C-alpha cells in the first residue's frame, strides 16, 4: 500500500516536525497542500521556532506579538536561504561618514562633527544624535576653548550606549574613554554617561551592556617582560556601583591582535576572553595548540572570581603550517541554544601539502566546575584517539597556581629527549573533530558552468579580501573582495577593483531513501543519519553535508552584460556597492557582517583626498526594511 506523509494523522505529523530544523520544516511545507496546512499551524510553528531558533530577532518579534510564529519561521528560512545562496534582498547607501560601529543591527557613524544612528533591523531613517565635538570640548578641556583639537574613534555600541575614545592634542595631550546614551529623549548635554581619563590606548577595546562597561589595553608588563592585557570595569548603574576601580590583569594570556590572536565579548552576565596562542616565545619542540579562555562575572570583577581554562583543544602542529595572516578569531552564539562557542577561521597547508585551504572551526568552552569529572574536557565535539589527559582548568589566584598541573608528553617520541628546562612544550592526544565543528572551504567547487562569465568565481589573495566572515546559522563563508576583472572596458580607473561578495555554504545532506538502498548496510547507515557509501564531497569525505558551488554577487559587469540587462536594472546593485568605481584610489575599506547584512565603509586611503566615504548596506532579509 502506498504511504504518504500527507495522509498521516496530524498528531503524528506534529511529533515528526518537532525533530526538524527551521529550514527542513519550511521546505517540507512547500511539497504539498496537506503538509503546508499542517506545518503552517501556529502552535506547531511556535514549537519549532522556540526549539530551533529561540534566540533570533524573529522569535523575539513573535513573542512580543509583532508577528505570528508562522511568519517568524518563514522569515528565518528566507533570510538564511538568501544568505547561503548569495542573493541579497536589496543594496543601499545608508550614509556618508568617516567612521562607524555596527552591532545588533544598529549602525552608528561619524560625519564631520555629527554622530548619526540607524536601526538597520527596524527600518528607521538616520537620526542625528549630537554634535560630538561641541559637547566634548567643554568636558575634556574645560576652560581651554578651541585651542586644542579632538581626535575621535568609535569603539562599540550596545543596548543604547555608544563608547568612544577621545584624544586631545595641543598644549596638553590626553586620552579619554567616553560613554554616550543614544536615547532620543535626551538633549545633547545630557547624553554623557561617563568621561574617564585613561593612561594608555594601546590596543584599546570596549565591551558593555546597559549596566556594565569593560575596557582593556595591552599595556601592562608581566614578570616575563612581555606586555599583557589589563581589563578595567565600570558600573554604569548608580544602584550598585563598584566599591573601587576594579582592574584585572590577564596573567600569561598570550596574544595582542584583537580578532586574530585574541577576542573579547560579554555574554549572559560574564566577560569572556579567548586566545589561540600558548606561549610568548617560539617553542622549538611542541606538539599541540590550545585555546586559553578566561571569564569572570560582570557584577563581581575580582581576581578570585576569574576562571581560566588553557587546555581547550585547538589543533596538532603535525596537521601542517598555518598562514597567520588569514586567522580570524572570535565568539559565536548559537541561535537555538544561546550557547557561546569559540569560532576560528584559518588557512592551513594541511598535512604539509603545497596548497593552503581555509577551514572554519568551532570549539565549545568548558570550565572545571561545570563538570564533576575533569576528563570530560574533550567530549561534545572531539573524540579522543588516545589516553586522556587532565585539563588545567584552574582559578587564577595567588593561592592556586596553574603550574601545579602537570601534563604528560608523548611516549616514545624522539623529540622528548631534546627538551631542556628552557622549553615549555604542550601536548594532548589527537582529538578527532566531528563534521559539525569544521567547515572546509576546499569542499566547494568554483562555478565553471555556463554562468561563469557572469559569476566570475575565483580565489582571491589577502590584499584583495576586505572582509572575512562566517555565519553559523547558514553555514556560510562570507567574503567582500576586490575583483579587478569587473568593469573592464567601462572606463573605470586602472587599479580600482570592484567590490563583490563571495559566498560558499553547506547544508546537511539528506538521508538516502530506504527504498533505493543498494544493501542492508546502506539502509542502516541512512537510519543512523550517515550518508550512503559512495556519497562523498570533493575531498572524498563522508561528512554528512552537501557543498554548494562558490557564488559571487553582483554579477561581473562588462559592456556586453550592460547591454543585455534591462534598462531599469543596468548594474544598479553593482554601482550601489561600488560608489567609488569611477574615482581614483587607493581606498580604505572597513567592513562588518552579521546574520542578515553586510555593512562597509569606502573612503580615500589618503587624508588629503578627504576623510569621508559612503557607507553601504547589503541586506539578506527579504522581509526586512527596504532603503532607497
Amino acid at each position: 500500500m502506498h504511504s504518504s506523509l500527507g495522509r498521516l494523522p496530524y498528531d503524528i505529523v506534529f511529533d515528526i516536525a518537532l525533530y526538524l530544523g527551521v529550514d527542513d520544516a519550511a521546505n517540507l511545507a512547500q511539497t504539498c497542500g496537506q503538509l503546508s496546512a499542517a506545518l503552517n499551524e501556529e502552535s506547531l510553528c511556535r514549537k519549532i521556532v522556540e526549539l530551533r531558533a529561540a534566540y533570533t530577532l524573529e522569535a523575539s518579534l513573535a513573542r512580543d506579538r509583532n508577528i505570528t510564529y508562522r511568519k517568524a519561521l518563514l522569515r528565518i528560512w528566507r533570510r538564511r536561504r538568501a544568505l547561503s545562496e548569495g542573493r541579497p534582498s536589496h543594496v543601499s547607501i545608508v550614509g556618508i561618514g568617516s567612521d562607524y560601529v555596527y552591532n545588533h543591527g544598529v549602525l552608528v557613524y561619524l560625519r564631520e562633527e555629527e554622530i548619526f544612528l540607524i536601526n538597520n533591523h527596524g527600518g528607521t531613517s538616520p537620526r542625528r544624535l549630537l554634535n560630538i565635538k561641541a559637547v566634548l570640548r567643554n568636558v575634556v578641556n574645560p576652560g581651554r576653548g578651541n585651542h586644542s583639537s579632538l581626535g575621535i574613534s568609535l569603539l562599540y555600541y550596545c543596548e543604547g550606549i555608544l563608547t568612544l575614545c577621545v584624544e586631545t592634542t595641543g598644549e596638553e595631550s590626553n586620552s579619554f574613554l567616553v560613554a554616550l546614551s543614544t536615547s532620543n529623549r535626551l538633549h545633547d548635554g545630557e547624553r554623557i554617561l561617563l568621561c574617564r581619563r585613561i593612561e594608555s590606548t594601546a590596543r584599546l577595546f570596549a565591551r558593555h551592556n546597559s549596566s556594565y562597561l569593560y575596557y582593556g589595553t595591552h599595556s601592562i608588563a608581566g614578570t616575563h617582560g612581555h606586555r599583557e592585557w589589563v581589563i578595567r570595569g565600570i558600573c554604569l548603574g548608580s544602584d550598585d556601583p563598584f566599591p573601587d576601580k576594579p582592574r584585572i590583569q590577564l596573567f600569561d594570556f598570550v596574544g595582542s591582535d584583537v580578532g586574530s590572536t585574541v577576542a573579547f565579548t560579554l555574554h549572559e552576565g560574564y566577560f569572556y576572553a579567548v586566545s589561540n596562542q600558548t606561549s610568548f616565545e617560539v617553542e622549538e619542540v611542541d606538539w599541540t595548540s590550545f585555546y586559553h579562555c578566561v571569564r569572570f562575572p560582570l557584577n563581581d570583577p575580582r581576581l578570585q572570581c576569574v576562571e581560566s581554562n588553557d587546555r581547550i583543544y585547538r589543533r596538532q602542529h603535525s596537521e601542517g603550517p598555518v598562514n597567520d595572516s588569514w586567522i580570524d578569531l572570535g565568539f559565536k552564539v548559537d541561535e537555538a541554544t544561546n550557547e557561546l562557542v569559540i569560532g576560528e577561521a584559518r588557512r592551513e597547508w594541511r598535512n604539509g601539502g603545497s596548497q593552503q585551504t581555509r577551514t572554519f572551526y568551532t570549539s565549545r568552552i568548558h570550565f572545571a566546575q561545570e563538570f564533576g569529572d575533569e576528563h570530560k574536557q574533550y567530549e561534545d565535539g572531539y573524540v579522543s584517539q588516545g589516553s586522556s589527559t587532565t585539563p588545567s582548568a584552574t582559578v587564577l589566584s595567588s593561592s592556586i597556581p596553574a603550574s601545579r598541573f602537570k601534563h604528560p608528553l608523548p611516549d616514545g617520541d624522539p623529540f622528548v629527549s631534546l627538551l631542556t628546562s628552557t622549553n615549555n612544550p604542550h601536548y594532548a592526544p589527537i582529538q578527532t573533530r566531528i563534521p559539525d565543528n569544521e567547515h572546509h572551504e576546499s569542499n566547494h567547487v568554483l562555478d565553471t558552468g555556463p554562468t561563469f562569465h557572469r559569476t566570475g568565481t575565483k580565489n582571491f589573495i589577502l590584499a584583495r579580501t576586505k572582509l572575512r566572515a562566517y555565519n553559523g546559522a547558514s553555514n556560510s563563508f562570507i567574503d567582500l573582495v576586490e575583483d579587478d576583472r569587473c568593469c573592464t572596458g567601462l572606463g573605470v580607473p586602472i587599479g580600482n577593483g570592484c567590490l563583490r561578495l563571495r559566498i560558499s555554504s553547506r547544508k546537511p545532506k539528506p538521508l538516502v531513501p530506504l527504498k533505493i538502498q543498494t544493501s542492508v548496510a546502506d539502509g542502516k547507515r541512512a537510519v543512523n543519519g550517515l550518508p550512503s557509501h559512495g556519497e562523498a564531497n570533493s575531498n572524498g569525505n563522508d561528512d554528512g553535508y552537501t557543498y554548494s558551488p562558490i557564488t559571487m554577487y553582483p554579477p561581473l559587469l562588462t559592456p556586453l552584460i550592460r547591454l543585455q540587462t534591462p534598462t531599469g536594472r543596468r548594474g544598479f546593485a553593482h554601482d550601489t556597492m561600488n560608489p567609488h568605481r569611477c574615482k581614483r584610489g587607493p581606498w580604505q575599506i572597513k567592513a562588518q557582517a552579521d546574520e542578515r547584512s553586510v555593512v562597509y565603509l569606502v573612503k580615500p586611503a589618503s587624508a588629503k583626498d578627504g576623510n569621508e566615504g559612503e557607507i553601504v548596506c547589503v541586506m539578506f532579509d527579504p522581509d526586512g526594511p527596504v532603503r532607497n
Side-chain angles (χ1 to χ4, degrees):
M1 183 177 66
H2 185 267
S3 60
S4 170
L5 273 177
R7 297 181 179 180
L8 292 176
Y10 173 74
D11 291 345
I12 296 179
V13 175
F14 187 98
D15 288 339
I16 292 174
L18 294 182
Y19 290 91
L20 301 178
V22 170
D23 298 342
D24 291 333
N27 285 324
L28 185 59
Q30 312 296 315
T31 57
C32 67
Q34 294 93 331
L35 288 178
S36 177
L39 293 173
N40 286 328
E41 201 274 328
E42 182 70 6
S43 62
L44 177 57
C45 292
R46 179 176 62 84
K47 284 279 189 180
I48 296 175
V49 170
E50 293 294 351
L51 282 173
R52 308 300 180 193
Y55 296 91
T56 59
L57 172 65
E58 293 85 355
S60 178
L61 292 174
R63 288 188 206 100
D64 295 337
R65 300 187 177 182
N66 293 317
I67 60 175
T68 63
Y69 276 97
R70 175 180 177 274
K71 181 68 173 177
L73 187 146
L74 290 176
R75 285 185 60 170
I76 296 170
W77 171 63
R78 284 161 56 87
R79 182 247 300 172
R80 291 178 178 176
R81 186 180 64 170
L83 196 150
S84 62
E85 295 177 355
R87 297 181 181 180
S89 56
H90 59 275
V91 181
S92 60
I93 297 176
V94 295
I96 296 176
S98 58
D99 192 14
Y100 79 91
V101 290
Y102 182 64
N103 191 29
H104 296 303
V106 178
L107 172 69
V108 182
Y109 64 93
L110 178 65
R111 182 176 186 180
E112 296 180 348
E113 298 185 355
E114 306 281 335
I115 290 183
F116 294 84
L117 181 144
I118 302 175
N119 186 345
N120 217 26
H121 295 172
T124 61
S125 301
R127 173 167 62 91
R128 175 194 174 276
L129 288 181
L130 76 164
N131 186 309
I132 185 65
K133 291 190 176 181
V135 172
L136 291 179
R137 190 167 282 118
N138 295 327
V139 177
V140 300
N141 278 325
R144 295 183 181 272
N146 297 327
H147 298 295
S148 62
S149 60
L150 300 180
I152 299 174
S153 301
L154 305 183
L155 295 179
Y156 193 68
Y157 172 87
C158 186
E159 297 185 5
I161 296 176
L162 171 69
T163 52
L164 50 132
C165 177
V166 180
E167 298 180 272
T168 64
T169 58
E171 299 177 2
E172 187 176 343
S173 298
N174 294 304
S175 299
F176 297 86
L177 180 72
V178 178
L180 302 173
S181 171
T182 62
S183 172
N184 54 10
R185 301 177 181 179
L186 301 176
H187 300 292
D188 287 1
E190 302 173 331
R191 295 191 180 278
I192 297 181
L193 303 176
L194 170 76
C195 183
R196 172 177 290 189
R197 182 176 175 179
I198 53 180
E199 300 176 357
S200 173
T201 59
R203 311 283 184 176
L204 175 66
F205 75 89
R207 299 291 185 268
H208 62 80
N209 54 28
S210 60
S211 302
Y212 301 98
L213 185 154
Y214 284 86
Y215 67 97
T217 56
H218 196 247
S219 57
I220 298 297
T223 56
H224 37 60
H226 298 278
R227 291 190 177 273
E228 293 184 325
W229 289 95
V230 58
I231 312 298
R232 294 177 171 88
I234 301 168
C235 182
L236 298 177
S238 57
D239 296 337
D240 186 25
F242 294 138
D244 52 10
K245 296 181 180 180
R247 192 189 83 167
I248 295 178
Q249 183 173 343
L250 301 183
F251 297 103
D252 297 324
F253 189 81
V254 187
S256 60
D257 296 324
V258 178
S260 179
T261 59
V262 295
F264 306 94
T265 193
L266 307 185
H267 184 71
E268 293 296 305
Y270 281 86
F271 177 96
Y272 284 85
V274 67
S275 168
N276 56 18
Q277 306 293 298
T278 54
S279 177
F280 288 101
E281 304 290 348
V282 176
E283 293 295 334
E284 296 295 336
V285 181
D286 206 5
W287 287 269
T288 310
S289 175
F290 297 94
Y291 294 109
H292 184 183
C293 192
V294 175
R295 77 173 182 180
F296 58 83
L298 298 179
N299 60 357
D300 194 6
R302 294 176 298 161
L303 190 61
Q304 54 266 40
C305 296
V306 178
E307 304 166 64
S308 175
N309 188 351
D310 60 0
R311 300 281 293 185
I312 299 177
Y313 186 85
R314 182 174 178 244
R315 70 189 301 270
Q316 297 287 342
H317 296 310
S318 60
E319 295 179 27
V322 178
N323 188 338
D324 292 338
S325 300
W326 280 87
I327 292 179
D328 297 293
L329 178 67
F331 292 98
K332 299 292 182 181
V333 178
D334 191 286
E335 289 188 350
T337 64
N338 201 35
E339 180 185 10
L340 187 72
V341 297
I342 301 169
E344 183 183 26
R346 53 182 184 259
R347 272 185 177 265
E348 302 161 303
W349 286 271
R350 299 281 296 178
N351 301 318
S354 60
Q355 184 177 4
Q356 55 177 311
T357 59
R358 183 168 58 161
T359 305
F360 184 82
Y361 300 93
T362 57
S363 301
R364 295 191 64 183
I365 301 171
H366 298 302
F367 295 95
Q369 74 282 4
E370 296 179 1
F371 302 103
D373 182 3
E374 290 184 348
H375 292 278
K376 293 184 179 180
Q377 167 70 31
Y378 298 114
E379 71 173 14
D380 299 326
Y382 297 101
V383 181
S384 178
Q385 290 186 338
S387 60
S388 62
T389 181
T390 304
S392 65
T394 69
V395 175
L396 288 181
S397 68
S398 57
S399 60
I400 310 179
S403 60
R404 72 179 179 89
F405 291 89
K406 303 299 182 181
H407 307 294
L409 296 177
D411 294 332
D413 194 303
F415 288 102
V416 174
S417 61
L418 302 178
L419 296 175
T420 66
S421 59
T422 60
N423 295 115
N424 182 29
H426 304 83
Y427 170 75
I430 297 175
Q431 311 296 321
T432 300
R433 303 179 183 92
I434 62 175
D436 290 349
N437 289 352
E438 58 178 0
H439 182 174
H440 298 281
E441 192 181 31
S442 60
N443 292 338
H444 299 274
V445 297
L446 300 179
D447 186 358
T448 57
T451 61
F452 173 74
H453 70 286
R454 292 183 62 86
T455 59
T457 308
K458 72 167 189 174
N459 294 318
F460 291 83
I461 63 174
L462 180 62
R464 291 287 189 179
T465 307
K466 305 303 179 182
L467 170 69
R468 308 185 303 270
Y470 187 86
N471 182 267
S474 59
N475 290 311
S476 302
F477 286 96
I478 308 169
D479 297 335
L480 180 68
V481 298
E482 279 185 327
D483 194 346
D484 55 5
R485 302 164 304 159
C486 192
C487 288
T488 55
L490 294 176
V492 176
I494 297 176
N496 270 19
C498 292
L499 294 174
R500 306 176 69 201
L501 290 173
R502 182 179 185 273
I503 295 176
S504 53
S505 65
R506 68 175 184 175
K507 60 182 180 180
K509 184 180 295 184
L511 298 178
V512 178
L514 296 179
K515 65 179 181 180
I516 64 172
Q517 299 296 335
T518 59
S519 68
V520 175
D522 280 349
K524 291 180 179 179
R525 289 173 61 83
V527 171
N528 291 327
L530 299 173
S532 177
H533 292 294
E535 292 188 87
N537 55 40
S538 61
N539 277 356
N541 300 320
D542 277 348
D543 63 356
Y545 284 91
T546 58
Y547 292 80
S548 66
I550 299 174
T551 60
M552 298 196 68
Y553 181 89
L556 282 173
L557 198 59
T558 64
L560 177 61
I561 293 177
R562 272 197 180 270
L563 291 175
Q564 295 174 344
T565 307
T567 304
R569 298 172 49 199
R570 286 180 181 173
F572 172 79
H574 173 277
D575 294 346
T576 304
M577 289 183 62
N578 293 275
H580 62 304
R581 58 184 292 271
C582 294
K583 305 173 186 177
R584 292 195 176 274
W587 301 94
Q588 178 182 347
I589 299 171
K590 175 183 177 181
Q592 287 180 255
D594 62 10
E595 75 281 0
R596 67 188 70 236
S597 57
V598 175
V599 176
Y600 60 91
L601 165 66
V602 183
K603 68 176 183 178
S606 175
K608 66 179 182 180
D609 297 325
N611 193 38
E612 295 184 346
E614 291 84 356
I615 302 174
V616 180
C617 177
V618 183
M619 182 68 74
F620 290 93
D621 188 356
D623 301 289
V626 177
R627 302 185 186 280
N628 298 319

